[in-house]
Amino acid sequence: MTPIAITFLLLAIALVWGGLIASTIYLRSRPERDDYPPGAADDHREDVAPIEHDT
């Protein structure tokens, strides 16, 4: 391997593993969302769903 190839290999490894570590730290600090958009869990959309017919 050439020195420039090794440099890019180390850069790619640092980028991938650094991103993984940074996202892990971020998710540990904010594990759940505080607000959900409309249509999230338990909004009773099944009450206004289209009628299903047996054919």
Side-chain angles (χ1 to χ4, degrees), residues 12-44:
I13 289 172
L15 183 69
V16 169
W17 286 102
L20 178 67
I21 291 169
S23 57
T24 301
I25 291 170
Y26 178 77
L27 287 175
R28 284 189 67 163
S29 67
R30 294 179 148 192
E32 293 186 21
R33 293 185 64 161
D34 295 334
D35 58 334
Y36 290 99
D42 214 14
D43 68 343
H44 301 286

